[in-house]
Amino acid sequence: PFDEQKHLPEIARMLDRVQKSNAPWFEFGNEWSTSGTARRDMNLKRKRAANYAKWLRAIRGEMTKRKMDNVKVMSVATGGAGGDTAFFQMLHDEGVWELLDAMNFHPGRGACFADKIGGGWTYLGGVQNMQRKIAELGGKPLFLTETYAVCMPNNAWSDSYRLAADNVMLTFALGYAEDIAGNFLFKFNDGISWDINGISDTDREFHYGIMMRDFSPKPSMMAYAAAAEHLDGAKFVRKVEFSESPNLKVYEFSSPRGTFHLLYDRTDGYSMPKFKVGENAVHKEPWIDTYTARNQYEFSEKSSGVWAFDSIGRGKKIPVKFGKTKLVLTGAPIIVYGLDLTKN
């Protein structure tokens, strides 16, 4: 609970750090996790929203005194399945909506691919849910200050190393498509704040890194680099629909390197591959492709060549014959330059 006498000096120390670091944004609060009793107890949630509003008014008051006009404030992140839109509504009802320059969300994701929509522990579904609520309340940028592809080994609620790479690529590409202001991956290397040099095979929290504990790269790190290479300076243009092929997913982007498309096939569905009886819940090695459906599609060529890059950045030139090229797609996203989809 906010105590003016106790907490104004604490706010001053926070803002000292903001000014010293020349930070353009101040994210006040790490995460309102929406878990446990408070998620369903509307009275308790309302009390916490009211308390957050008191802190926020005091922070804005101190920022005004310091003339910190160059610093913007984003909200505490809501987390959990689908996000806590009710908490955002309560902040609006408390009259502090205009004190926030942006909203913040930690989209949790379970045993499904990042492009699954709808409720529950979905990435894209949760992001769309939050964007709808923010638009309803008055439109603000949305930041994702924790997104992830957790790789706890042999855990059915986590990504395998190979599928984590696909999901990292989808996480960033779909972030562009959903007009996300900033997308921060959690986290750089395996480990946890209270056990810096430790590791655990039973605690999921240790396994969120895109690097191993010894700083060797996971496929996730290679996907992060590939996403940065192709999405740097890019703009989302449109989602291309193919009525005759509903499982074909295509997103078009413009970029300094030219127009490209992100393509994949969802015939295998949106859930992670299920462990089979007798496998003892063991993830496949990252060099083993676990997608079962492989569908061939034909596209027109736009330029003098077609190049495709997989989710870890490996590129190859695709043969073209009479202005047409054929691609065999699975659930793994690929980035392709040189296609002509103007008629779609």
Side-chain angles (χ1 to χ4, degrees), residues 259-281:
T259 296
F260 68 83
H261 296 86
L262 183 134
L263 307 93
Y264 57 98
D265 180 278
R266 269 291 167 258
T267 300
D268 281 342
Y270 292 85
S271 298
M272 294 292 186
K274 298 294 190 296
F275 294 126
K276 295 179 181 178
V277 175
E279 285 188 329
N280 196 28

Side-chain angles (χ1 to χ4, degrees), residues 58-59 77 126 211 310:
I59 288 169
M211 304 285 278
D310 66 13

Side-chain angles (χ1 to χ4, degrees), residues 3-4 55 69 78 102 159 177 185 197 204 256 272-273 287:
D3 181 317
E4 183 172 315
W55 275 91
D69 300 331
T78 71
D159 294 11
L185 202 61
N197 295 311
R204 197 165 180 261
M272 294 292 186
W287 53 84

Side-chain angles (χ1 to χ4, degrees), residues 201-236:
D201 63 343
T202 59
D203 187 337
R204 197 165 180 261
E205 187 72 11
F206 279 85
H207 300 279
Y208 282 77
I210 56 175
M211 304 285 278
M212 303 292 282
R213 187 63 206 92
D214 63 355
F215 301 111
S216 57
K218 297 180 183 179
S220 306
M221 178 60 176
M222 301 166 74
Y224 186 90
E229 180 178 4
H230 296 285
L231 291 169
D232 183 28
K235 295 184 183 298
F236 173 67

Side-chain angles (χ1 to χ4, degrees), residues 11-304:
I11 288 172
R13 288 192 294 272
M14 289 181 191
L15 297 181
D16 286 344
R17 292 178 62 192
V18 172
Q19 290 183 300
K20 185 177 180 180
S21 64
N22 293 314
W25 283 92
F26 177 34
E27 176 188 352
F28 176 57
N30 171 45
E31 180 180 298
W32 163 246
S33 68
T34 73
S35 61
T37 304
R39 183 175 185 179
R40 296 170 181 82
D41 186 334
M42 291 298 113
N43 290 327
L44 179 55
K45 185 181 296 192
R46 194 168 288 106
K47 288 179 181 178
R48 294 189 178 182
N51 185 57
Y52 185 84
K54 291 177 183 178
W55 275 91
L56 189 58
R57 289 191 180 96
I59 288 169
R60 279 298 194 182
E62 181 64 20
M63 290 178 69
T64 299
K65 290 180 185 177
R66 298 182 182 213
K67 298 182 179 179
M68 294 174 63
D69 300 331
N70 59 326
V71 177
K72 296 181 179 180
V73 179
M74 73 174 75
S75 75
V76 62
T78 71
D84 193 342
T85 56
F87 190 73
F88 278 1
Q89 179 67 57
M90 290 172 184
L91 293 181
H92 185 276
D93 295 344
E94 288 290 331
V96 295
W97 187 255
E98 296 308 317
L99 299 184
L100 293 165
D101 298 298
M103 308 310 289
N104 194 1
F105 177 40
H106 291 173
R109 180 172 60 80
C112 61
F113 290 104
D115 59 317
K116 185 175 183 180
I117 59 174
W121 292 95
T122 63
Y123 168 76
L124 182 56
V127 169
Q128 291 177 343
N129 185 40
M130 297 303 282
Q131 287 285 50
R132 283 191 294 268
K133 187 62 179 180
I134 292 168
E136 174 193 325
L137 294 176
K140 292 184 186 293
L142 177 62
F143 281 79
L144 309 178
T145 56
E146 282 188 20
T147 58
Y148 57 78
V150 58
C151 296
M152 184 177 182
N154 307 327
N155 179 277
W157 194 245
S158 300
D159 294 11
S160 68
Y161 286 123
R162 185 185 184 104
L163 295 181
D166 293 343
N167 279 315
V168 166
M169 177 60 76
L170 286 172
T171 293
F172 285 103
L174 295 173
Y176 274 67
E178 295 299 322
D179 196 27
I180 295 303
N183 200 331
F184 296 75
L185 202 61
F186 179 79
K187 54 192 173 179
F188 183 71
N189 64 278
D190 282 355
I192 198 167
S193 59
W194 48 264
D195 188 9
I196 295 295
N197 295 311
I199 192 66
S200 170
D201 63 343
T202 59
D203 187 337
R204 197 165 180 261
E205 187 72 11
F206 279 85
H207 300 279
Y208 282 77
I210 56 175
M211 304 285 278
M212 303 292 282
R213 187 63 206 92
D214 63 355
F215 301 111
S216 57
K218 297 180 183 179
S220 306
M221 178 60 176
M222 301 166 74
Y224 186 90
E229 180 178 4
H230 296 285
L231 291 169
D232 183 28
K235 295 184 183 298
F236 173 67
V237 177
R238 61 178 179 140
K239 184 177 181 182
V240 187
E241 302 287 350
F242 295 83
S243 57
E244 71 283 6
S245 303
N247 289 321
L248 173 60
K249 309 298 178 182
V250 181
Y251 294 81
E252 184 173 298
F253 297 82
S254 63
S255 82
R257 301 176 59 167
T259 296
F260 68 83
H261 296 86
L262 183 134
L263 307 93
Y264 57 98
D265 180 278
R266 269 291 167 258
T267 300
D268 281 342
Y270 292 85
S271 298
M272 294 292 186
K274 298 294 190 296
F275 294 126
K276 295 179 181 178
V277 175
E279 285 188 329
N280 196 28
V282 175
H283 281 142
K284 300 292 187 183
E285 298 289 2
W287 53 84
I288 297 175
D289 186 349
T290 54
Y291 297 107
T292 58
R294 283 164 173 74
N295 292 313
Q296 182 173 269
Y297 298 94
E298 185 175 77
F299 302 96
S300 297
E301 178 204 23
K302 181 179 182 180
S303 56
S304 58

